[in-house]
Amino acid sequence: MLLEGFHTVKHALRFGAEVRPLLTTDLGDAVKLAESHAPDLVDRFAQATEVDQKVFVLRVGRTHPTGVAGFADRPELPFDRPAPVVLLDNPRNLGNFGAAIRVAAGLDAGGVLSTGDVDPWHPNVLRGSAGLHFALPVAKAESLDFAGELIAFDADGDLLRGPIPDDAVLAFGSERHGLSDGVRKRATRVVRLPMRDRVSSYNLTTSVAMGLYHWAVHRAS
């Protein structure tokens, strides 16, 4: 997998990826970035291979403001963590897709699944997650037959209240088309997030964050 940018490489390294090769157009700048933003990884960035801009573009496909990139194997992480799994139902915006994975990693979700044609490991999705694909399992859903409760989020649902089970699957539709009929029919319940009147919707990343935060707060209380 191509890892573009310092922060993407940083997170991949922190969560166990073997980044080989790790490239930079300026070794001194890469080490300074590590000293200020990832002091735990200074030694790893100090071992980066310095290349000129032409070689960097040849290997990566384009320049990057941080002058850092790398390559790592895609991890095989099991969906066996005691936390809800996020199901993104046919996401279309690759940046939002990646940002939702980033939020899921930050709130310690059990993983992220997706339906639809978009590869969840597309380079633009990986860039949007800032490398946090390596922090939790990310894959395409093979079916909608889940062992736990499937809770679908939609503006027409009942207001979300009470705890969310650790083994639940939380489904979120695309920002333009919402939930698919298949996910809606399979859902155990359909819920909505609190929202002010006359506000039409939240974006995908915000909805995922609010749903997982609701789970985390009720779990801790």
Side-chain angles (χ1 to χ4, degrees), residues 83-144:
V85 169
V86 171
L87 174 65
L88 303 179
D89 188 16
N90 197 23
R92 308 308 301 169
N93 184 295
L94 303 189
N96 288 346
F97 194 164
I101 293 171
R102 185 173 184 175
V103 161
L107 285 163
D108 206 19
V112 177
L113 292 168
S114 66
T115 67
D117 298 329
V118 176
D119 178 5
W121 283 84
H122 188 285
N124 291 348
V125 182
L126 186 57
R127 188 184 309 117
S129 81
L132 283 164
H133 279 64
F134 290 84
L136 77 175
V138 176
K140 293 196 78 168
E142 296 180 356
S143 76
L144 298 179

Side-chain angles (χ1 to χ4, degrees), residues 22-210:
L22 171 50
L23 305 175
T24 179
T25 55
D26 190 313
L27 185 59
D29 284 351
V31 171
K32 287 179 181 178
L33 271 174
E35 289 173 343
S36 61
H37 291 82
D40 54 315
L41 297 173
V42 170
D43 290 344
R44 301 292 293 275
F45 279 96
Q47 297 171 24
T49 300
E50 187 175 75
V51 297
D52 64 31
Q53 194 72 258
K54 289 183 178 179
V55 173
F56 187 92
V57 171
L58 181 65
R59 296 297 303 275
V60 177
R62 58 181 166 184
T63 62
H64 192 276
T66 63
V68 173
F71 296 84
D73 290 334
R74 175 175 168 175
E76 295 295 333
L77 302 175
F79 284 83
D80 61 357
R81 305 170 69 196
V85 169
V86 171
L87 174 65
L88 303 179
D89 188 16
N90 197 23
R92 308 308 301 169
N93 184 295
L94 303 189
N96 288 346
F97 194 164
I101 293 171
R102 185 173 184 175
V103 161
L107 285 163
D108 206 19
V112 177
L113 292 168
S114 66
T115 67
D117 298 329
V118 176
D119 178 5
W121 283 84
H122 188 285
N124 291 348
V125 182
L126 186 57
R127 188 184 309 117
S129 81
L132 283 164
H133 279 64
F134 290 84
L136 77 175
V138 176
K140 293 196 78 168
E142 296 180 356
S143 76
L144 298 179
D145 295 327
F146 303 111
E149 184 178 7
L150 176 56
I151 303 173
F153 286 73
D154 187 86
D156 294 330
D158 298 323
L159 184 64
L160 176 63
R161 298 183 185 276
I164 291 174
D166 289 350
D167 63 349
V169 175
L170 310 183
F172 300 86
S174 67
E175 293 174 347
R176 175 170 293 184
H177 301 293
L179 294 167
S180 66
D181 290 339
V183 169
R184 190 181 292 274
K185 290 176 181 177
R186 175 63 182 79
T188 309
R189 55 180 164 136
V190 179
V191 299
R192 72 178 190 275
L193 296 164
M195 187 165 56
R196 181 181 177 180
D197 287 344
R198 294 181 290 175
V199 175
S200 58
S201 66
Y202 298 115
N203 69 25
L204 177 62
T205 308
T206 300
S207 296
V208 172
M210 292 176 71

